[in-house]
Amino acid sequence: LTFPLLSVTLLVSFGSSTLYGYNLAVVNSPAVHIKAFYNATWSQRYGHGLAPGPLTLLYSLTVSIFALGGLVGSLLVGVLVERYGRNGTLSRSSLLILLAGGFMGFSRELGSLEMVIIGRSITGLHSGRCCRAVHSPFLTAWSPTAHSQGTGEEFILPMATGSVVGIFICLGVFFAQVLGLPELLGEDRFWPLFLSVVVVPASLQLLLLHCFPESPRYLLIERNDVCGATKALRQFLGTLDVQDVIEEMKEEQQSLSSMEMVSVWQLLRDRSVRWQTLSVVVVNAGMQLSGIDAIWFYTNTIFENAGIPMSQIPYATVGTGATEVVAGLIGCFTIEKLGRRPLIITGFCVMGICLAGITFSLLLQTALPWMRYVSVTCMVGIIAGFCMGPAGVPFLMTAELFTQSHRPAAYIVGGSLNWLCNFTVGFVFPFLQMSTGAFCYLVFCGICLLVALYIYLVIPETKNKTFMEISCIFA
């Protein structure tokens, strides 16, 4: 990797992927303080506090509305990128984060719980835009031969760069857990500042992104700007001889102009790829319904129910975040060696076993106090299993199961399911936990094991295989 390409990779990942991870975990530590603020605000307005049910409902909405904003943002990406380009879309999304940080940062001073909810929805809108736009600015600086062939192999060469995105998401979660410690921003008076820290990476991205050129592939294929694409490629690749890459991009431009892109409805009705489409649905929905979102959103509550002393919970949470980063690094460096299928099957199986372990440890902790530490171990196992396989493999599989004409529609299906399931888990989990107690984790356990079984029986290994080879295996 050249220095400019690596720099823009790190910048965009820090300003986008880190924020996504941070916003997943930031509502965990200050949950008690936010609920107290909601209750006090409601009491000042209406003369009485909130009952436990409505308060849980309001807080669940605060947590899960992030995913609804993400769904809307992901559906708008195509239009925005076509109009403003990759860099322009990211810059405008950074401005949204500054607005969201203002809403959440001044919510307590203005006595408005609505500002917290609006701020969370705006951060989701930003993440929805950037999670789909974040890869192309740096990955597509490479030779696009595989793009034009539609084999999906373009995701193999840049894995060293693309995996940075997943690692930065893990780092974002870890940063939120560290800043949530009582010694830093974990106290009641600091929670608005804690939520608004998102403006820091967004501001850095907004200031520095203009130092880098637009995506070469966007400039040539979308704007037909050969000079601009040549200049950008020379800066990214660190060489003056980029004519071969330009020619390949022109071939891709001609190929795409004659290619009819498939809509979502056409994809769902296309019998030739029905098993690939079903696989995208199962893997993407299973990734979010595996219980990982519940753990990110409600880690402290889960530890509290497991009997961990309150004074130790913040540090146990940081320990899970550190495990997540390590597991993400392991997955990053082993995915091309081991393949997609073994990692994702193993990941889901480990998660299912650990979720069952949490259930049994919670049921037995009254008789056996040491079972609380089994709960912590199982939590670490869930996070490690997720980060080593299910966290990143579904994105690669979606690319490798379809040709270029079907791939955008497949991404819309997979991305929409991701956000919808994220919202469902964030909103429903507190009520599920109240109604079923320790048995709520068996729901996620069943989903993980069923998804692992489906992948084992249906989905082939996609590593180093063309679309035609994959299609023949499905047939």
Side-chain angles (χ1 to χ4, degrees):
L1 295 176
T2 62
F3 179 75
L5 187 58
L6 182 61
S7 298
V8 74
T9 299
L10 296 176
L11 173 65
V12 175
S13 298
F14 181 69
S16 302
S17 302
T18 301
L19 281 181
Y20 172 67
Y22 186 88
N23 284 305
L24 282 174
V26 71
V27 289
N28 173 51
S29 297
V32 175
H33 309 315
I34 295 175
K35 289 180 180 178
F37 166 68
Y38 283 3
N39 202 29
T41 302
W42 197 272
S43 180
Q44 290 176 359
R45 291 183 185 179
Y46 305 106
H48 61 86
L50 284 163
L55 181 60
T56 301
L57 179 65
L58 200 57
Y59 181 73
S60 298
L61 178 63
T62 305
V63 171
S64 57
I65 202 169
F66 170 77
L68 285 186
L71 175 61
V72 174
S74 65
L75 295 176
L76 293 175
V77 166
V79 176
L80 293 171
V81 170
E82 185 177 349
R83 176 175 298 182
Y84 302 114
R86 302 290 180 181
N87 288 7
T89 300
L90 290 171
S91 297
R92 285 163 174 78
S93 297
S94 297
L95 290 174
L96 282 178
I97 283 293
L98 300 183
L99 178 64
F103 271 109
M104 295 185 291
F106 291 103
S107 58
R108 186 168 60 181
E109 296 297 324
L110 299 176
S112 173
L113 57 89
E114 294 84 0
M115 291 177 67
V116 180
I117 297 174
I118 293 172
R120 283 285 294 171
S121 65
I122 295 175
T123 57
L125 190 66
H126 167 270
S127 293
R129 289 182 177 185
C130 294
C131 281
R132 285 185 61 197
V134 72
H135 302 83
S136 295
F138 42 88
L139 294 187
T140 52
W142 298 96
S143 170
T145 301
H147 278 283
S148 60
Q149 293 174 347
T151 62
E153 294 172 2
E154 69 273 19
F155 290 89
I156 296 175
L157 178 62
M159 272 303 296
T161 310
S163 296
V164 173
V165 176
I167 295 171
F168 270 79
I169 292 175
C170 296
L171 286 174
V173 173
F174 182 63
F175 289 157
Q177 293 166 341
V178 171
L179 290 177
L181 291 173
E183 295 83 355
L184 298 175
L185 301 179
E187 296 184 7
D188 178 52
R189 55 179 177 154
F190 291 133
W191 70 260
L193 176 62
F194 187 28
L195 295 182
S196 60
V197 164
V198 292
V199 303
V200 176
S203 298
L204 288 175
Q205 180 174 274
L206 189 63
L207 291 173
L208 299 178
L209 197 59
H210 298 289
C211 300
F212 298 94
E214 182 56 85
S215 164
R217 184 168 175 267
Y218 170 80
L219 289 172
L220 194 147
I221 295 177
E222 300 294 336
R223 295 290 180 87
N224 204 27
D225 184 0
V226 179
C227 293
T230 302
K231 183 179 178 181
L233 278 170
R234 286 173 175 171
Q235 182 172 342
F236 276 133
L237 302 181
T239 178
L240 295 177
D241 185 15
V242 295
Q243 191 58 38
D244 290 343
V245 182
I246 291 292
E247 292 301 323
E248 290 174 356
M249 286 185 177
K250 288 181 178 180
E251 292 176 8
E252 181 187 5
Q253 184 183 37
Q254 294 176 356
S255 174
L256 291 176
S257 63
S258 61
M259 182 184 299
E260 183 179 354
M261 306 305 289
V262 173
S263 67
V264 172
W265 179 242
Q266 290 172 323
L267 174 70
L268 297 177
R269 294 183 62 188
D270 190 342
R271 296 176 62 87
S272 66
V273 293
R274 61 181 176 180
W275 280 106
Q276 289 93 318
T277 304
L278 180 60
S279 298
V280 167
V281 170
V282 170
V283 172
N284 281 276
M287 179 174 63
Q288 298 299 333
L289 297 178
S290 64
I292 191 65
D293 288 318
I295 289 173
W296 277 333
F297 289 147
Y298 303 105
T299 307
N300 285 16
T301 302
I302 294 172
F303 278 148
E304 183 180 350
N305 292 335
I308 305 299
M310 290 296 294
S311 59
Q312 298 178 14
I313 287 178
Y315 306 99
T317 301
V318 171
T320 62
T323 302
E324 185 175 355
V325 174
V326 174
L329 288 169
I330 294 173
C332 166
F333 292 112
T334 58
I335 188 170
E336 288 305 318
K337 183 177 181 179
L338 300 178
R340 289 84 163 106
R341 196 165 176 267
L343 278 180
I344 194 168
I345 292 175
T346 303
F348 274 118
C349 287
V350 169
M351 293 179 74
I353 293 170
C354 291
L355 284 162
I358 287 182
T359 300
F360 290 116
S361 64
L362 291 177
L363 292 174
L364 297 174
Q365 70 179 5
T366 303
L368 303 171
W370 55 268
M371 291 298 281
R372 68 184 64 175
Y373 301 106
V374 175
S375 298
V376 175
T377 303
C378 289
M379 285 274 288
V380 172
I382 293 168
I383 292 173
F386 179 80
C387 293
M388 290 178 64
V393 174
F395 177 81
L396 289 174
M397 278 190 168
T398 303
E400 294 168 343
L401 293 179
F402 297 93
T403 59
Q404 183 66 33
S405 61
H406 289 68
R407 197 171 295 142
Y411 274 127
I412 292 175
V413 172
S416 298
L417 280 171
N418 262 298
W419 288 112
L420 285 173
C421 294
N422 187 311
F423 170 79
T424 301
V425 172
F427 189 79
V428 171
F429 179 74
F431 301 98
L432 181 65
Q433 194 175 39
M434 287 190 295
S435 60
T436 61
F439 294 101
C440 67
Y441 301 102
L442 291 182
V443 176
F444 302 124
C445 170
I447 292 173
C448 287
L449 296 179
L450 286 174
V451 173
L453 180 63
Y454 176 88
I455 297 170
Y456 177 78
L457 296 175
V458 176
I459 302 180
E461 176 58 65
T462 59
K463 175 187 172 185
N464 295 336
K465 288 186 174 66
T466 66
F467 170 78
M468 293 307 298
E469 292 172 335
I470 296 171
S471 182
C472 289
I473 296 173
F474 270 109

